[in-house]
Amino acid sequence: MDADRNRPSNAVGLCLLPSDLLQDIFFRLALPEILCLRSVSTSLSSLISGDDFRRLYALRSCSETWLFLYKKRSPRESMLHGFNDRSGRWFHIPVAGILLPAVHPGEDLYFLTASGDFFLFASNSRRELIAVNLAANAVKKIPASPLGPRGTSSWRRSG
């Protein structure tokens, strides 16, 4: 029993690897997998959250292709699924919990686009844009455009 307590866990053993080797391993993972690694240990979280890692990961992952599907349900049960060509598998991307504070009950959301770790949704009933930052686990409502609502003449150029 004492031997089990004194034996290092896999997470601790992973943290003992040189940071360059860890970065090389992490660069091969898709973003949802990297975000899950943040909860393994504080040292891995600080490595992943570092500016250098984020910049290098963004440079290496710019050639990745993602396909996103958004299942519209109630905001508590909505699901965003993403298929990554590099890993060749589907990921469940947990945005419902992040969206919950910003989405009013009965609100009709549409998934518009994604870039990096940002996802953009549109609220049909309130005519708002909602940005979700998956890495920061944050949501922000984007104010209405100064050009006016879509479909008006203010969107068109004269001449």
Side-chain angles (χ1 to χ4, degrees):
M1 185 102 167
D2 288 331
D4 287 340
R5 278 191 216 143
N6 295 332
R7 187 173 25 162
S9 70
N10 289 341
V12 172
L14 183 66
C15 294
L16 295 175
L17 293 173
S19 62
D20 292 344
L21 181 58
L22 284 175
Q23 280 187 355
D24 199 38
I25 293 168
F26 294 167
F27 287 148
R28 299 171 194 271
L29 301 175
L31 182 62
E33 295 167 323
I34 288 176
L35 294 176
C36 288
L37 282 173
R38 291 188 305 189
S39 63
V40 171
S41 75
T42 54
S43 60
L44 290 181
S45 179
S46 63
L47 174 70
I48 292 167
S49 300
D51 291 338
D52 289 338
F53 178 83
R54 293 180 73 164
R55 182 179 43 80
L56 290 172
Y57 185 81
L59 287 173
R60 290 183 181 216
S61 64
C62 66
S63 62
E64 286 184 14
T65 303
W66 281 88
L67 171 68
F68 293 105
L69 296 175
Y70 181 61
K71 285 187 180 179
K72 284 185 0 179
R73 297 179 179 172
S74 70
R76 292 182 189 273
E77 298 175 4
S78 58
M79 291 186 207
L80 184 63
H81 297 279
F83 180 81
N84 180 270
D85 68 335
R86 182 169 57 177
S87 65
R89 68 187 191 100
W90 285 93
F91 293 93
H92 170 71
I93 302 171
V95 294
I98 302 169
L99 281 167
L100 200 56
V103 177
H104 298 281
E107 201 164 329
D108 199 11
L109 283 184
Y110 294 91
F111 173 69
L112 296 177
T113 189
S115 178
D117 47 6
F118 284 93
F119 297 90
L120 189 63
F121 293 85
S123 167
N124 198 29
S125 56
R126 293 190 176 260
R127 296 185 181 199
E128 295 176 321
L129 293 176
I130 300 170
V132 172
N133 183 338
L134 195 60
N137 203 22
V139 63
K140 183 176 182 176
K141 290 187 179 182
I142 299 173
S145 169
L147 298 176
R150 199 174 69 193
T152 64
S153 61
S154 63
W155 285 86
R156 297 187 208 124
R157 287 186 177 182
S158 60

